[in-house]
Amino acid sequence: MSRLAITAVVLLVVIVGGLFFLAGRASERPQTHVEKAVTLANLS
């Protein structure tokens, strides 16, 4: 195999491995509701 082919295969394996690593991470968080006091003077 040529050096270019080996480099391409290694790069592809690293990219696919990184994608699987990022896909496996749990990034969802439960939503929290925040209530803020709004003055009526700001609405007019």
Side-chain angles (χ1 to χ4, degrees):
M1 268 191 177
S2 69
R3 181 174 285 189
L4 179 63
I6 293 173
T7 305
V9 169
V10 169
L11 189 62
L12 183 66
V13 168
V14 168
I15 290 173
V16 170
L19 288 176
F20 274 108
F21 174 73
L22 291 176
R25 296 178 57 183
S27 61
E28 295 182 10
R29 296 185 181 186
Q31 294 182 351
T32 57
H33 295 284
V34 178
E35 295 184 11
K36 297 173 88 176
V38 178
T39 60
L40 294 178
N42 291 337
L43 295 176
S44 59

